[in-house]
Amino acid sequence: MAESTGHAEFDLREFVATSLGSRIDDSAPLSASDLRLLLSKLHGRSDQLKIRLRKIVAENHDQFNSIVKDAHGAAAGVEALAEDVEKVVDALEEDRKGEPPFDVGICRLAATAEELWEEQEERKEYIGALEFIASVREGLKSAERDFHLGALAESGTKLCRIREQLELPADWTGDRDDKKERQMKEDEVQAFVLLQDEWATCYSKLRNFLEELFAKAVVLNLHGSELCIYSRVSCSDMMAGVNADEVELATILSTMDKVGVLETRLAKTADLLLKHIIDPIVRSPRFAVHVNDMDQEGRAILNWMQSCSKTNGGGYVEMFAKLLEVFKYLRTNLLVDNDGWMVLLGRVIWPELAEAITANCLRKAVPNEISELASFQELAQASAEFETCLGKACLIPDWNETRGDKLRSFSADVEHHFGAKKRNSVMAKARDLLIKFDYRSNLINREEKTIQGVDDSDNISLLQTETCTITLAAKQLLELVHDTLQDACKSSPSIAMELYLGARDALHLHRAIIPVKAMEYLNSIHKAASLCYNDCFYIAHHVLFLHFQYYPALPRNVQKIMSFVDFAPLFRRFGCQILEKQMHLITVKLMEDLDQANGFQYLEQRKRYDTCTNAIGKLRKLMLDAMAGLSTLFASANEDSDEAGGDCAKDSVQRRVPLWRKLLRLTDLLDMSLRPITQSWENGDLPSSGFSADEVQHLIKAIFSETDLRSECLKVIVDSRSK
């Protein structure tokens, strides 16, 4: 049957495609010939199916008869069952006249049964809650009885178990009344709120009593400089309602640990120990401690005092010994050799102690010179041994003996700290040098190496080739850079890197400090501006050679990044800015003076005369300075030639600059009176220097006011020109 069913599956689309011999297009209609061919194919296919169906029925005749008989019997059984059910329903309806239908009654009965089941479950929950409340209530009473009997450990254990039963947070004590806690109380059943309050009351009593016992057992007497620890204390307290003889310190600490207050208590104790005992030992070598072991009364005492001895107390070795003695006392007597409690104490003490030792001992002991690095290793070894002892005593959290902790890490990186210290020292020297320097008090000539004072009469050379007047600060700054790089050449790679950066920092400080320090001078016409300019070009010149001087001797890591050439354009740019501003200020001032001369009129007035004289003097001084600088330049050029002697040099200048003689004569004219100028014209001196009659007339008219003498002199020059 399965086989015949499988062959009966028929796909019309596939049949059409097979019959026509090509794939059909859903959007295109079939032609009449295609439809006739398809119809004939369908008739043939139908005949085949009929033949196959007859064959299947004939081959499975018995099976088909059995199936038909079974179906007929099942249908008859269903009809009989329906008749029986109908009879039962009719009978019930006759017996329940006036009552709801049978099916409705069944639904109501089921609903009642469900309500009864839910009620039963609720009663079970109520009973369970009552049993839980009774159990918790009994536990609280038992914990309170143990508390009054002095069984503090048992009382604490029961309170911790009840806290878990009430699903309270581990840090909840019940004595806080914040918004979140009030909301929690509002959401809880009142009975459970009462249980929580009762638990909080019992917990508060136990916690406060444990705090009192701890205060009795650990007594810190600051006035007497004494720490006294008792191994057992009296547990009887009428006010607290506790009636017991004595309790061991270990029991007190264990109970405090169970109820979650030991860590806080030890943290407070650690703060006091750090402030009054541990930190003074680190900071003061004369701070002495003395330990008295546990006596027959169960009392161990630690005394401390500030020694009056003038000795240094033995140095860091003695300091480490004192600290180890204190921690041994605390571990043995306070924490009864409990590793876990030592960890709690160390979480507070160790970070502060390590920082204090590093700041007051290790960092101060970092050597100032490379030759002193070996001596630092003694301190490094002692600090490593001290740290190892504390680590084995569980005072250092997450202790790893292989890698050590803070002290060993600092000592292992001593080269870096030494380099950083040297770098800071270089910066400090450069900063002090630049800040304390006064432009008005210190000068140095690069060639003569002489110190000069600065006042308004000093003639500071600017833009000179042979000499360059610079400040002592600039010279000392470059000396500091050279010394630093020389030390870098003799140092390890890490130290050399810090020293190289320190040398660059010193140059950066000059660029940061000088513009601010010399602002007063740079914004006015002042000789200090010339010094700033000379310093900038002096430094820019020298930094160009630092790379070639020290590169071969520096470690490889410094060679990869070494560069000082980048400073040259920075200093030159700053120097050029100074020069441009000074030239602008001088030009403006000179033009103001010339404008104030107002054509050199009314010179009979003293104020006008002084103003004009000042203007001419500045014109002349400017020309003299320019000629002095140019003369030096030509003299240096003559040294490279075969010309020698003063006359030869003078002739050389005149040949190179045809107007040189005229320029020299002009400087003299600006300092001459009217009659000498006229005489110089008459004797041919001015014409031989290149002056024309018009130029001399214009000069006289510009400088001298209109008088009879000026008119006479001008007439002489005009008459001589006509001749």
Side-chain angles (χ1 to χ4, degrees):
M1 293 293 290
E3 181 181 359
S4 61
T5 304
H7 287 293
E9 296 178 356
F10 178 69
D11 189 347
L12 178 60
R13 184 181 298 275
E14 182 179 356
F15 176 73
V16 173
T18 305
S19 300
L20 299 179
S22 62
R23 192 171 185 86
I24 63 174
D25 188 359
D26 294 340
S27 61
L30 297 176
S31 63
S33 59
D34 291 339
L35 290 175
R36 284 193 294 271
L37 178 60
L38 181 60
L39 182 60
S40 63
K41 292 285 185 178
L42 286 174
H43 283 300
R45 179 64 174 170
S46 177
D47 293 340
Q48 291 177 2
L49 292 175
K50 290 178 181 179
I51 295 171
R52 182 175 293 180
L53 179 60
R54 291 192 191 100
K55 183 179 178 181
I56 292 173
V57 173
E59 291 176 354
N60 300 282
H61 184 269
D62 295 338
Q63 294 182 11
F64 278 108
N65 285 338
S66 176
I67 292 172
V68 172
K69 289 179 181 179
D70 291 342
H72 181 72
V78 171
E79 291 178 357
L81 181 60
E83 292 177 358
D84 293 340
V85 171
E86 187 176 358
K87 290 178 182 180
V88 172
V89 172
D90 293 340
L92 290 173
E93 288 180 352
E94 291 178 359
D95 295 338
R96 294 171 56 86
K97 291 181 179 180
E99 296 183 5
F102 179 70
D103 54 345
V104 176
I106 292 177
C107 292
R108 290 179 178 177
L109 183 61
T112 304
E114 185 177 359
E115 291 176 359
L116 292 174
W117 182 83
E118 291 177 355
E119 183 179 353
Q120 183 180 5
E121 290 299 320
E122 289 179 0
R123 290 181 178 180
K124 287 182 179 179
E125 291 181 2
Y126 292 152
I127 293 173
L130 291 174
E131 291 177 350
F132 175 78
I133 292 172
S135 175
V136 173
R137 184 71 181 84
E138 183 59 30
L140 290 172
K141 289 182 178 180
S142 177
E144 191 169 2
R145 284 195 299 269
D146 292 339
F147 172 72
H148 291 304
L149 294 175
L152 303 180
E154 291 78 2
S155 178
T157 301
K158 291 177 181 179
L159 286 176
C160 292
R161 184 169 60 249
I162 294 172
R163 177 165 56 188
E164 294 177 358
Q165 291 176 337
L166 294 175
E167 298 181 354
L168 297 174
D171 60 342
W172 191 79
T173 59
D175 55 357
R176 301 192 303 271
D177 193 23
D178 53 18
K179 182 177 180 181
K180 181 178 179 181
E181 198 158 302
R182 290 196 300 271
Q183 182 65 31
M184 184 182 71
K185 289 184 177 181
E186 292 174 359
D187 296 339
E188 292 284 349
V189 179
Q190 187 63 28
F192 286 94
V193 174
L194 295 175
L195 288 176
Q196 293 172 4
D197 293 340
E198 188 172 355
W199 178 89
T201 302
C202 295
Y203 176 85
S204 179
K205 288 182 181 180
L206 178 61
R207 181 190 60 188
N208 294 336
F209 188 63
L210 289 172
E211 292 281 357
E212 293 177 4
L213 293 179
F214 186 89
K216 291 181 181 179
V218 182
V219 180
L220 183 63
N221 183 3
L222 299 179
H223 296 288
S225 300
E226 178 182 270
L227 173 62
C228 184
I229 299 177
Y230 297 89
S231 61
R232 54 187 180 274
V233 293
S234 174
C235 192
S236 178
D237 191 333
M238 298 300 295
M239 295 184 63
V242 180
N243 186 15
D245 294 333
E246 290 183 340
V247 62
E248 298 288 336
L249 176 60
T251 303
I252 298 173
L253 298 177
S254 176
T255 307
M256 295 178 74
D257 193 12
K258 288 179 182 179
V259 299
V261 298
L262 180 61
E263 185 173 2
T264 304
R265 180 68 264 176
L266 289 180
K268 294 179 181 179
T269 304
D271 288 336
L272 294 174
L273 294 174
L274 279 169
K275 181 178 180 180
H276 299 289
I277 300 177
I278 298 175
D279 195 59
I281 292 177
V282 177
R283 295 181 180 276
S284 176
R286 298 180 182 178
F287 193 86
V289 295
H290 179 70
V291 174
N292 294 322
D293 295 330
M294 193 73 67
D295 55 18
Q296 295 180 354
E297 298 179 359
R299 179 180 59 182
I301 300 176
L302 172 68
N303 298 103
W304 67 88
M305 62 179 297
Q306 190 73 27
S307 176
C308 297
S309 175
K310 295 184 179 180
T311 60
N312 59 6
Y316 54 83
V317 176
E318 183 68 21
M319 178 194 70
F320 291 143
K322 295 175 186 177
L323 291 172
L324 289 175
E325 187 176 10
V326 171
F327 290 127
K328 180 181 178 182
Y329 166 83
L330 295 174
R331 178 180 176 86
T332 303
N333 301 291
L334 175 61
L335 303 177
V336 293
D337 293 321
N338 187 295
D339 293 342
W341 299 341
M342 281 292 292
V343 172
L344 296 179
L345 189 69
R347 288 178 183 173
V348 180
I349 289 182
W350 173 242
E352 298 291 335
L353 175 60
E355 180 61 28
I357 293 176
T358 301
N360 295 279
C361 185
L362 295 179
R363 187 169 284 112
K364 290 182 178 180
V366 172
N368 296 316
E369 301 297 334
I370 300 176
S371 59
E372 300 174 0
L373 283 174
S375 61
F376 181 82
Q377 297 305 321
E378 298 178 2
L379 174 58
Q381 181 64 26
S383 63
E385 294 175 356
F386 170 74
E387 188 178 64
T388 301
C389 293
L390 296 187
K392 291 181 178 180
C394 300
L395 192 71
I396 302 177
D398 303 324
W399 165 252
N400 186 303
E401 189 171 357
T402 303
R403 69 171 185 268
D405 208 81
K406 301 178 185 295
L407 301 184
R408 193 184 302 181
S409 176
F410 184 92
S411 300
D413 205 15
V414 64
E415 286 193 354
H416 170 74
H417 300 302
F418 170 77
K421 188 174 183 179
K422 289 289 291 183
R423 179 180 178 181
N424 293 334
S425 175
V426 171
M427 292 184 64
K429 291 179 181 178
R431 183 174 58 252
D432 294 342
L433 179 67
L434 295 171
I435 291 178
K436 295 179 180 179
F437 171 75
D438 184 5
Y439 278 100
R440 300 185 59 83
S441 62
N442 290 306
L443 287 174
I444 184 168
N445 185 282
R446 189 180 63 183
E447 287 191 349
E448 299 176 358
K449 308 295 183 186
T450 58
I451 305 298
Q452 303 174 354
V454 178
D455 53 36
D456 294 337
S457 63
D458 285 336
N459 183 15
I460 301 176
S461 301
L462 185 65
L463 288 176
Q464 291 189 359
T465 57
E466 290 187 349
T467 60
C468 178
T469 306
I470 62 172
T471 63
L472 183 62
K475 176 178 178 294
Q476 292 178 343
L477 180 67
L478 280 176
E479 290 177 351
L480 178 63
V481 171
H482 280 286
D483 293 342
T484 304
L485 292 176
Q486 289 173 4
D487 290 341
C489 294
K490 300 179 290 185
S491 305
S492 64
S494 60
I495 298 176
M497 178 61 71
E498 294 293 332
L499 293 175
Y500 161 72
L501 295 176
R504 287 185 59 88
D505 291 341
L507 296 174
H508 280 301
L509 281 176
H510 184 280
R511 297 185 58 244
I513 294 175
I514 294 303
V516 178
K517 183 179 179 63
M519 184 181 300
E520 176 185 356
Y521 307 128
L522 301 182
N523 292 331
S524 61
I525 302 175
H526 199 281
K527 302 287 175 49
S530 302
L531 289 176
C532 289
Y533 171 85
N534 289 346
D535 286 352
C536 290
F537 273 78
Y538 178 76
I539 296 174
H541 172 76
H542 279 268
V543 295
L544 293 175
F545 302 98
L546 293 177
H547 181 89
F548 303 100
Q549 286 179 270
Y550 299 103
Y551 178 85
L554 288 171
R556 182 67 176 171
N557 63 323
V558 181
Q559 289 179 346
K560 292 180 180 180
I561 66 170
M562 181 183 182
S563 175
F564 285 96
V565 180
D566 55 313
F567 283 104
L570 298 177
F571 280 98
R572 285 174 179 168
R573 187 182 304 118
F574 180 49
C576 290
Q577 291 173 354
I578 296 174
L579 177 61
E580 292 174 359
K581 189 165 187 178
Q582 287 294 304
M583 292 179 66
H584 173 73
L585 293 174
I586 292 173
T587 302
V588 171
K589 179 62 175 175
L590 185 59
M591 295 306 298
E592 289 178 354
D593 292 339
L594 292 176
D595 291 340
Q596 290 176 359
N598 194 17
F600 299 94
Q601 298 179 2
Y602 311 110
L603 297 182
E604 66 277 4
Q605 300 177 9
R606 183 64 184 178
K607 183 177 181 181
R608 296 290 301 162
Y609 178 81
D610 293 339
T611 301
C612 295
T613 303
N614 184 37
I616 295 175
K618 288 184 177 180
L619 271 167
R620 182 172 182 274
K621 184 177 184 301
L622 178 63
M623 296 175 64
L624 289 174
D625 290 341
M627 286 191 298
L630 292 174
S631 299
T632 305
L633 179 63
F634 288 123
S636 62
N638 292 332
E639 292 178 359
D640 298 332
S641 64
D642 296 334
E643 299 177 357
D647 295 336
C648 294
K650 186 179 299 183
D651 294 339
S652 175
V653 174
Q654 293 178 0
R655 288 198 307 271
R656 295 173 188 270
V657 184
L659 296 179
W660 183 256
R661 185 178 179 184
K662 185 176 182 180
L663 181 64
L664 291 175
R665 197 60 181 150
L666 178 60
T667 58
D668 295 335
L669 290 176
L670 294 175
D671 196 37
M672 294 170 64
S673 60
L674 187 57
R675 286 193 180 279
I677 294 177
T678 306
Q679 294 173 0
S680 296
W681 174 260
E682 290 178 337
N683 60 25
D685 187 15
L686 291 181
S688 63
S689 298
F691 286 94
S692 65
D694 292 337
E695 289 176 339
V696 176
Q697 288 179 9
H698 291 159
L699 179 65
I700 293 175
K701 291 179 180 179
I703 296 178
F704 301 100
S705 60
E706 185 176 356
T707 60
D708 295 338
L709 180 60
R710 191 184 80 168
S711 300
E712 180 182 349
C713 292
L714 291 175
K715 185 176 184 302
V716 171
I717 296 174
V718 172
D719 294 342
S720 63
R721 182 177 60 176
S722 62
K723 296 178 182 180

